[in-house]
Amino acid sequence: MHLPRYLAMLVDTERALADAYVAMSAGHRADADVTFTCASFARQATAHAAELAATVEDRYPSTGDGPDRLRPAPFTTTRTGAVGLLRDLAELHQLAVFAETTWELVEQVGYGLRDRELIAIASRRSTGLGVQVAWMRTRMKAEAAQALLVAT
Amino acid sequence: MVLEDRISDIWGARNPFASGGVWPDRVDQFLVDGVEESDVETWVRGACLLCSNGCGLEVAVSGGRMVGVRGRAEDRINHGRLGPKGLYGWQGEQSGRLTTPLIRRGGELVETDWETAMGAIVERSAALLAERGPLSHGFYTSGQLMIEEYYTLAVIGKAGIGTPHMDGNTRLCTATASAAFQESFGTDGQPSSYTDIDSCDALFLFGHNVAETQTVLWARMLDRLDGPEPPRLVCVDPRRTNVAERASVHLPIRNGTNLALMNAMVHELIATDAIDHDYVAEHTAGLEDLERLTAEATPEWAAEICGVPAADIRRAVEIFATSDRVVSTCSMGFYQSHQATAASCQVNNLHLLRGMLGRPGAGILQMNGQPSAENNREAGCGAALPGFRNWNNPEHVAELAELWNVDPIVIPHWTPPTNANQIFRYAEQGSIGFLWIAGTNPAVSMPELARIRSILGGEQCFVVVSDGYLTETAQLADVVLPAALWAEKTGTYTNVDRTVHLQEKAVDPPGQARSDLDIWVDYARRLDLRDKDGRPLPPWDTPEAAFEGWKACSAGRPCDYSGLTYAQLHEIGGIQWPVTTDTPEGTERLYVDGVFATTAEYCETWGHDLTTGSPVAEADFRAARFEGRAILKTAPYEPAFETPDEEYPLRLTTGRTVYHFHTRTKTSRTVQLNDAAPEVWVELSQPDAFRLGISEGDLVRVSSRRGHIDAPARISHVRDGVVFAPWHYGSQAVTAANELTLSAWDPVSKQPEFKVAAVNVRRLRAGEGPAPAPTITASAPVTPLVRVTGRER
Ligand code: SF4
């Protein structure tokens, strides 16, 4: 069964996402909504990584590492200026969508396993990530015209 | 006719009345010393413009000057009464005014003429438009102008220039009221009426110190409280306000925990099965989600977070559940906080769950702060499209394009409208290179003032200010234009409960000052803004013609003015919109049939996720098929953006005092009002003061991560762990509470957080007597003052 390794990768992804939110929050302080929203998302990602890690350790211990080629690259530095914010949001969006999709798959697999606990965690998390992804799209749309047309 | 001191007797004599009765008249009048009634040449009709209450009045004129005011007995809002600001505040227009335009030369503002000033403005504006387009322009306006002016600027900005960067300081006072209405009912618009207070049997005031912010409304409530069958009163406020002193239940919750309380109240209402199942089934959607989101929010859970006994929360809910006619009001305590929209929606939800809406005595009053905030919202001078139109609905945009005779693509609907916080951010970055600020003073009223000053004073953005005074903001501008103020021009404005008043011009403005309408029409003509057929935009240049333009724009929308005329407003005084051929006398209540504005064709928004502010997709809105049902929405509680820690262990909250309006431009120039509250103070609880070694009147320094203020301490009944600072006091010294506040806002309404910031307080030195704070309001001292200063009457 490949699921344990896949779940290990998802734990890593959540941690990477939490780190990315922390970096966003710290790197865009002049955009207060980005700072506070990303701080809140970081708390959620950290909590979910921990929750999933506990379940994985308990129920689906992994012998090897997760699929390396899917493991997300770390996102720890941020760019400056309006275009920088837009690019950072786009990168973050990519990572969050990856996490969201992976959780959706895990939910589906949970049904295959008839594992109600896994289904519940996955369903909650993919909904939560959907909200975060929607926020990023909104924030990018709010910024795009200004950044690309008039930013100095 | 009552002639008395409205400083020491803020609410005036009581005229108690029973439930269902008519509030008795009591006409208040003030004439300046030496003027008798017989000296008054004319009484000019209008309404007070010093808070959102909108009390009908007449201005006494003699020798071309204002010499007094008296309330209009026949006006539905005040029945003749006027509060301290209404009686005295107009005098502030008679000194310290700007009388000529100013322009910055060699770093200094110097006097100039209109031609030079407007020439400089238009040169910069036209150059930027040519070079960088409409997104280089921002307009930040007020809650104190008139419909005619707001709508004129809306047309200039949205049809002429085509910029999404328009907002008002209404973002700071009333954006949440608007957002909560849109989320719950599909569109903005106050559902209820002041007359509901006359027959309610319970009154809930959520974060609304009405005794100080709308004194005449409180007089109405007091007359019910002192009459037969008084309503039960519940007050949610961390301070012991005059409202709290009269309350059956006072919930002095920690500032920043409103949503925890509200989720618990809704939880308890559902848990005790106190909901009106028929009304909910027929007229609402979303009960399941609401139940799920509040399932764990028990009164015990909230009691822990809010710092009030669970039994008191239960008692408040029981009052709500056992009353037949509840009126709730909601104001800045809820609006200026991190989960403002969700908490205010929960107030709407309490009423929806109990079917407490649309009938006499059962209603919601989501308050406004400023006098004409309502009009900025409806006329589209801020972030919304005019007439509560949905910027995401192509049909609505097409309607406006046809009305204005412009290409729809000019109207900025292709990007979300920009809120004030973001406008200032773009100005900081210089992508907005031209910012016009009218009738407001962000250098005192916005959060984190050090940042605002550097934005306004920097080279990256050209700043125009039109105002009556050389405010802290005007001092930082590149061009300053002298504007006519209240009663120096004719126009209409609308109060909290949709009551429209006409203010007629009573006197000429001082010096070369001109009305904002004249200034903006001049700007439009010089920019040569035109419609598709080459006709000038806007096509009008007088207030009445602008009003006709607005009537056409509002027709068919919730805020329908199409049946109103200046003549009717002159005769009757206040009239409530919508006013149409079907409802020529106005409309007392909205949603009397329980049918709300949640159809896709009519609504103002598809709604938002209340946690993050992300918009609901049109497809999802349509799929939900609300079709006239109200929407029950909330979010899980989260702690405030900044909470106390070791370094900054106290919770700051900011607020108002009864004697001042906003940044005191008028009220500090009014002797009676200024003497009553001349300087800043901060309030501490007795235990906190004792712990910090602070006595009444000691000079203290309050510091946050953003800055500090120095002020004398008042030991008041504020909650332990909370520091209160009035925010009115900008000056050369560091006294403005907003030096301390943080840049952060509610995700949906984008209203800034002014009610929680982590601070510390330390004693600097002994003071020279008690703090200069009023003693008969929420800032009353815990122990009677020993030294007489003249303020403790
Ligand atoms: S309550 Fe408001 S509108 Fe009425 S007199 Fe006082 S300040 Fe003016």
Side-chain angles (χ1 to χ4, degrees):
Chain A
M1 182 162 87
H2 298 291
L3 179 68
R5 285 175 57 202
Y6 213 80
L7 288 174
M9 179 206 68
L10 186 51
V11 172
D12 284 350
T13 304
E14 283 282 5
R15 286 185 184 136
L17 192 57
D19 290 346
Y21 284 139
V22 169
M24 269 309 269
S25 181
H28 291 282
R29 290 208 180 279
D31 291 286
D33 58 336
V34 174
T35 287
F36 289 109
T37 309
C38 286
S40 154
F41 290 173
R43 286 191 292 274
Q44 291 173 34
T46 305
H48 276 90
E51 185 186 20
L52 180 65
T55 309
V56 167
E57 208 171 295
D58 189 29
R59 316 263 298 280
Y60 304 103
S62 162
T63 43
D65 276 346
D68 275 336
R69 280 187 303 124
L70 285 179
R71 187 161 286 163
F75 168 104
T76 46
T77 51
T78 49
R79 305 168 176 93
T80 56
V83 179
L85 173 62
L86 194 60
R87 299 250 337 258
D88 282 347
L89 282 166
E91 205 174 303
L92 194 61
H93 180 257
Q94 224 174 6
L95 186 55
V97 167
F98 175 64
E100 183 193 16
T101 315
T102 309
W103 277 108
E104 271 175 34
L105 303 183
V106 168
E107 182 181 355
Q108 191 191 12
V109 173
Y111 278 99
L113 284 166
R114 300 180 191 167
D115 180 339
R116 291 200 161 78
E117 190 189 332
L118 190 61
I119 294 168
I121 298 176
S123 153
R124 246 185 296 133
R125 187 52 180 153
S126 68
T127 309
L129 274 164
V131 171
Q132 296 179 6
V133 167
W135 176 81
M136 283 170 235
R137 286 173 67 90
T138 307
R139 195 60 186 80
M140 282 191 282
K141 280 185 168 176
E143 199 69 29
Q146 196 72 11
L148 301 180
L149 292 176
V150 274
T152 46
Chain B
M1 198 69 64
V2 181
L3 294 161
E4 58 189 335
D5 178 5
R6 197 55 76 248
I7 298 294
S8 60
D9 184 12
I10 297 171
W11 306 287
R14 294 279 57 75
N15 311 98
F17 69 118
S19 179
V22 175
W23 192 24
D25 297 346
R26 183 196 84 198
V27 175
D28 294 343
Q29 174 175 309
F30 168 69
L31 294 173
V32 291
D33 269 353
V35 172
E36 301 294 325
E37 255 184 63
S38 55
D39 299 327
V40 177
E41 290 155 17
T42 45
W43 288 96
V44 180
R45 291 178 174 180
C48 177
L49 194 70
L50 284 167
C51 86
S52 61
N53 215 49
C55 297
L57 55 63
E58 290 175 301
V59 183
V61 180
S62 178
R65 271 176 74 79
M66 292 194 271
V67 292
V69 289
R70 70 176 176 210
R72 274 186 85 175
E74 66 276 31
D75 197 276
R76 62 178 303 277
I77 295 301
N78 54 328
H79 294 251
R81 289 163 190 78
L82 293 172
K85 291 193 286 270
L87 269 189
Y88 309 121
W90 56 271
Q91 299 168 95
E93 295 192 1
Q94 295 178 324
S95 59
R97 293 287 299 278
L98 282 168
T99 53
T100 59
L102 306 173
I103 193 162
R104 194 165 293 279
R105 294 271 186 250
E108 300 289 317
L109 280 176
V110 296
E111 289 191 0
T112 186
D113 52 46
W114 276 101
E115 196 52 41
T116 310
M118 290 305 290
I121 291 169
V122 171
E123 188 189 314
R124 177 60 74 101
S125 177
L128 266 178
L129 287 174
E131 198 186 310
R132 287 157 65 189
L135 293 170
S136 62
H137 276 50
F139 294 88
Y140 183 58
T141 54
S142 171
Q144 297 161 59
L145 304 179
M146 298 176 164
I147 294 179
E148 295 76 359
E149 296 170 327
Y150 291 129
Y151 186 54
T152 297
L153 186 63
V155 173
I156 291 171
K158 291 187 159 84
I161 293 171
T163 176
H165 307 325
M166 301 183 77
D167 203 2
N169 63 8
T170 46
R171 183 65 54 194
L172 316 182
C173 81
T174 190
T176 302
S178 168
F181 286 144
Q182 293 182 54
E183 298 299 327
S184 297
F185 307 138
T187 173
D188 195 354
Q190 186 74 267
S192 304
S193 172
Y194 276 8
T195 47
D196 288 326
I197 289 158
D198 305 348
S199 57
C200 66
D201 61 2
L203 259 170
F204 279 68
L205 272 62
F206 294 99
H208 182 203
N209 181 10
V210 63
E212 297 197 56
T213 56
Q214 288 103 352
T215 60
V216 174
L217 182 59
W218 179 235
R220 190 172 200 143
M221 294 176 183
L222 281 175
D223 285 341
R224 277 299 319 281
L225 291 167
D226 286 350
E229 310 154 63
R232 290 180 288 180
L233 174 65
V234 175
C235 167
V236 178
D237 200 312
R239 299 171 79 206
R240 196 204 285 178
T241 59
N242 303 93
V243 177
E245 285 179 358
R246 293 299 304 262
S248 313
V249 178
H250 175 208
L251 296 167
I253 61 170
R254 281 189 189 101
N255 39 323
T257 65
N258 298 328
L259 187 59
L261 173 73
M262 296 313 298
N263 282 352
M265 288 184 73
V266 165
H267 168 98
E268 187 66 6
L269 206 63
I270 296 173
T272 54
D273 195 27
I275 67 178
D276 178 338
H277 290 280
D278 292 342
Y279 189 92
V280 169
E282 209 171 324
H283 300 297
T284 74
L287 179 63
E288 256 177 44
D289 284 345
L290 190 68
E291 270 189 280
R292 182 176 50 78
L293 285 164
T294 57
E296 279 156 33
T298 62
E300 282 69 23
W301 166 84
E304 192 71 26
I305 293 168
C306 304
V308 294
D312 288 358
I313 299 176
R314 287 216 160 78
R315 175 88 186 106
V317 176
E318 188 200 320
I319 292 177
F320 204 101
T322 55
S323 299
D324 295 323
R325 297 176 307 279
V326 183
V327 168
S328 292
T329 71
C330 190
S331 194
M332 300 310 143
F334 270 41
Y335 298 167
Q336 295 176 335
S337 59
H338 66 297
Q339 294 185 296
T341 306
S344 304
C345 281
Q346 282 288 45
V347 174
N348 296 344
N349 294 343
L350 285 175
H351 282 258
L352 291 166
L353 291 172
R354 292 272 306 138
M356 256 336 137
L357 199 58
R359 56 190 165 83
I364 298 165
L365 293 164
Q366 299 275 1
M367 301 304 292
N368 303 345
Q370 295 179 80
S372 69
E374 179 63 34
N375 305 117
N376 195 316
R377 266 150 67 181
E378 61 198 31
C381 192
L385 288 183
F388 302 153
R389 285 178 174 82
N390 183 352
W391 65 271
N392 254 324
N393 181 338
E395 305 268 312
H396 286 192
V397 176
E399 272 170 29
L400 287 175
E402 195 184 320
L403 182 76
W404 294 336
N405 192 31
V406 297
D407 187 327
I409 205 164
V410 174
I411 300 171
H413 64 287
W414 34 266
T415 180
T418 317
N419 65 76
N421 310 293
Q422 201 63 42
I423 288 178
F424 279 87
R425 174 70 179 132
Y426 292 153
E428 181 175 42
Q429 293 173 313
S431 67
I432 287 181
F434 177 94
L435 179 62
W436 191 321
I437 299 170
T440 185
N441 191 7
V444 179
S445 56
M446 288 287 282
E448 209 181 337
L449 291 181
R451 174 168 175 247
I452 298 296
R453 280 191 296 269
S454 88
I455 295 171
L456 296 174
E459 291 295 311
Q460 82 295 349
C461 181
F462 185 85
V463 176
V464 179
V465 170
S466 30
D467 205 298
Y469 308 91
L470 190 62
T471 60
E472 290 83 353
T473 302
Q475 287 168 28
L476 298 168
D478 294 289
V479 179
V480 180
L481 302 175
L485 297 177
W486 175 82
E488 296 167 356
K489 56 189 179 180
T490 292
T492 48
Y493 36 88
T494 307
N495 85 335
V496 173
D497 85 337
R498 292 174 282 108
T499 299
V500 189
H501 281 103
L502 172 69
Q503 176 65 54
E504 296 165 41
K505 179 176 170 177
V507 295
D508 285 327
Q512 300 174 40
R514 298 164 68 188
S515 75
D516 293 274
L517 179 78
D518 287 347
I519 294 171
W520 281 325
V521 169
D522 185 14
Y523 170 65
R525 299 291 181 263
R526 286 171 191 258
L527 269 188
D528 198 29
L529 299 178
R530 292 181 184 276
D531 70 8
K532 277 197 301 202
D533 297 322
R535 284 187 299 253
L537 258 181
W540 53 77
D541 53 15
T542 66
E544 195 154 6
F547 188 67
E548 291 303 316
W550 165 241
K551 280 163 64 177
C553 180
S554 71
R557 294 301 299 160
C559 49
D560 193 329
Y561 286 66
S562 59
L564 259 182
T565 61
Y566 273 17
Q568 202 182 352
L569 290 165
H570 171 86
E571 266 329 299
I572 295 170
I575 301 175
Q576 288 173 288
W577 65 245
V579 189
T580 64
T581 41
D582 295 338
T583 56
E585 320 230 295
T587 307
E588 196 168 18
R589 292 177 191 86
L590 307 183
Y591 313 129
V592 287
D593 51 3
V595 177
F596 297 89
T598 53
T599 55
E601 304 70 51
Y602 193 66
C603 70
E604 186 177 359
T605 178
W606 312 131
H608 297 81
D609 174 84
L610 298 192
T611 309
T612 61
S614 303
V616 172
E618 177 180 351
D620 292 338
F621 180 90
R622 287 182 185 276
R625 303 186 59 81
F626 299 115
E627 304 299 343
R629 287 177 299 156
I631 307 165
L632 299 165
K633 277 188 168 181
T634 188
Y637 163 76
E638 282 179 39
F641 295 118
E642 189 178 75
T643 48
D645 53 25
E646 249 169 52
E647 199 182 344
Y648 299 99
L650 298 167
R651 283 174 185 247
L652 174 81
T653 184
T654 66
R656 296 140 199 249
T657 177
V658 66
Y659 301 114
H660 284 300
F661 179 66
H662 258 229
T663 64
R664 297 180 306 136
T665 49
K666 291 177 188 171
T667 51
S668 71
R669 293 178 172 89
T670 302
V671 170
Q672 294 91 336
L673 299 172
N674 197 53
D675 282 356
E679 281 160 44
V680 72
W681 71 91
V682 297
E683 290 172 31
L684 291 165
S685 73
Q686 204 163 25
D688 287 334
F690 181 76
R691 203 170 39 75
L692 295 163
I694 293 167
S695 309
E696 170 71 36
D698 284 357
L699 191 71
V700 301
R701 172 161 294 182
V702 184
S703 306
S704 78
R705 288 186 176 81
R706 274 76 49 195
H708 71 268
I709 62 169
D710 296 343
R714 160 60 43 88
I715 317 302
S716 79
H717 289 286
V718 72
R719 203 194 143 91
D720 291 356
V722 176
V723 179
F724 171 86
W727 65 275
H728 311 287
Y729 295 89
S731 77
Q732 297 308 325
V734 272
T735 55
N738 281 321
E739 304 286 352
L740 304 167
T741 49
L742 72 164
S743 296
W745 49 88
D746 173 67
V748 184
S749 70
K750 319 288 186 200
Q751 186 154 350
E753 162 78 283
F754 289 113
K755 298 302 189 193
V756 186
V759 296
N760 62 39
V761 178
R762 73 185 162 90
R763 184 179 182 275
L764 294 177
R765 59 173 182 272
E768 294 151 16
T775 55
I776 52 173
T777 56
S779 51
V782 184
T783 42
L785 301 178
V786 278
R787 267 182 54 187
V788 176
T789 65
R791 277 184 290 281
E792 56 280 15
R793 298 165 205 245

